[in-house]
Amino acid sequence: MEELNWWEKEIKSSLYNELKFMIPEILFLRGVWLENRQVWKVSFPFHFGLYMLLATLVLLFVGAVAMIFGAKITAGGSTLSSLIYYLTILVGFIGLTLGTVGGTGLIYRRVSDPALKNYSSFADYFNLAFLFLFFVSGLLTWLFHDHAFDGARAYIYSLLTFGGQPEGYTSSRSFLGEGTIVLASLVIAYIPMTQMSHMFMKYFMYHFVRWEDKPNFKGSRIEAMILKNLGFKPTWAAGHIGADGEKTWVDIATSGPTRNK
């Protein structure tokens, strides 16, 4: 985009190169590794634990669907059923363990490190504590009640079948198990409403913000989107910007900053 009249030339893009950069960044927090190795040591297990639990949720869903069609997700089932059974245990245990360890480390660093403590808000502490509670509850449930995630799989089965119960499954309720299911449901509902959704939004940030190079021609979809956004009326705390909720972005952009009284 630094070339003269770059929009008149062929625009080349590479999904492979994008993924080669984004996968290490999203999965392994490469930016944190390069900039703050000490934070990475606790942030990576926390985030990767979340990713592993997302994979566990997918495995539980696949297992529940398989049971609807008559499969038995047990150690003595078919090769595929046994693979789902053991893989769920392995991935779920790793996710809960990493999340618990990483959550403990992040809370400690937030409290003890002045560099982090100074700009940590109540929401930051609440989000960490909330997820940490879920990780600990899930790990205790795995250790003392639902080692094979049978209860979690049966719960998803009941959701998909509107209250059904897998054949041969004997419900064994526990406070830990039911509490973990409630916490997991709340986590799934809560994450999209907070900055924790950045784990999903990183792809869009890189793909549509940092590397977006489509030219904005007159009458294009991009122009229409820009015009729509220019009509928004922002509210910013910085008084010199003048974003009082009455002026549009066009008004703000075409007028100079005001002097605070």
Side-chain angles (χ1 to χ4, degrees):
M1 297 177 70
E2 296 176 356
E3 297 179 3
L4 183 65
N5 297 336
W6 61 270
W7 58 89
E8 297 178 354
K9 303 175 183 178
E10 180 184 2
I11 299 176
K12 298 180 180 180
S13 61
S14 172
L15 179 60
Y16 168 75
N17 284 329
E18 286 190 33
L19 295 177
K20 187 171 67 173
F21 181 92
M22 285 191 288
I23 290 176
E25 173 62 31
I26 294 172
L27 290 184
F28 305 113
L29 307 184
R30 180 174 58 183
V32 182
W33 166 266
L34 295 174
E35 301 297 334
N36 196 326
R37 200 67 53 87
Q38 293 302 314
V39 171
W40 181 90
K41 290 178 181 178
V42 290
S43 185
F44 168 71
F46 180 80
H47 285 82
F48 201 75
L50 275 175
Y51 298 152
M52 294 294 276
L53 288 183
L54 286 173
T56 304
L57 181 62
V58 173
L59 287 169
L60 290 171
F61 179 83
V62 171
V65 171
M67 289 194 298
I68 292 175
F69 287 95
K72 295 185 182 299
I73 308 299
T74 61
S78 65
T79 302
L80 182 58
S81 297
S82 297
L83 178 63
I84 295 174
Y85 176 81
Y86 286 114
L87 199 57
T88 303
I89 295 174
L90 177 64
V91 175
F93 171 70
I94 293 175
L96 291 171
T97 303
L98 288 177
T100 301
V101 172
T104 303
L106 280 174
I107 292 174
Y108 174 76
R109 287 198 64 86
R110 286 277 184 184
V111 173
S112 62
D113 188 346
L116 293 175
K117 187 177 180 180
N118 289 339
Y119 64 82
S120 294
S121 65
F122 171 79
D124 294 322
Y125 290 112
F126 178 82
N127 293 343
L128 276 176
F130 183 35
L131 287 175
F132 177 72
L133 180 62
F134 162 65
F135 282 127
V136 172
S137 176
L139 186 58
L140 291 175
T141 301
W142 185 89
L143 288 171
F144 299 111
H145 177 65
D146 193 10
H147 180 71
F149 294 94
D150 290 331
R153 191 180 298 107
Y155 174 71
I156 295 178
Y157 180 98
S158 70
L159 291 178
L160 296 176
T161 58
F162 301 97
Q165 184 170 303
E167 183 180 352
Y169 173 75
T170 302
S171 177
S172 177
R173 293 187 173 183
S174 73
F175 175 78
L176 273 175
E178 293 183 350
T180 300
I181 287 176
V182 171
L183 285 173
S185 302
L186 290 174
V187 166
I188 293 173
Y190 180 65
I191 284 180
M193 297 186 294
T194 70
Q195 72 268 28
M196 292 188 293
S197 61
H198 71 269
M199 68 179 74
F200 307 107
M201 299 307 295
K202 275 189 176 182
Y203 170 79
F204 300 99
M205 183 193 74
Y206 284 108
H207 185 72
F208 290 115
V209 179
R210 295 188 65 175
W211 297 330
E212 175 62 83
D213 58 357
K214 292 182 179 179
N216 176 24
F217 293 118
K218 187 174 180 61
S220 67
R221 183 178 64 88
I222 296 177
E223 183 190 49
M225 293 171 63
I226 292 175
L227 291 175
K228 179 180 178 181
N229 280 272
L230 287 175
F232 291 153
K233 299 178 179 180
T235 54
W236 285 8
H240 67 283
I241 300 297
D244 54 7
E246 298 296 327
K247 298 177 182 176
T248 66
W249 276 117
V250 172
D251 298 328
I252 295 171
T254 55
S255 61
T258 60
R259 186 180 298 274
N260 291 330
K261 296 181 180 179

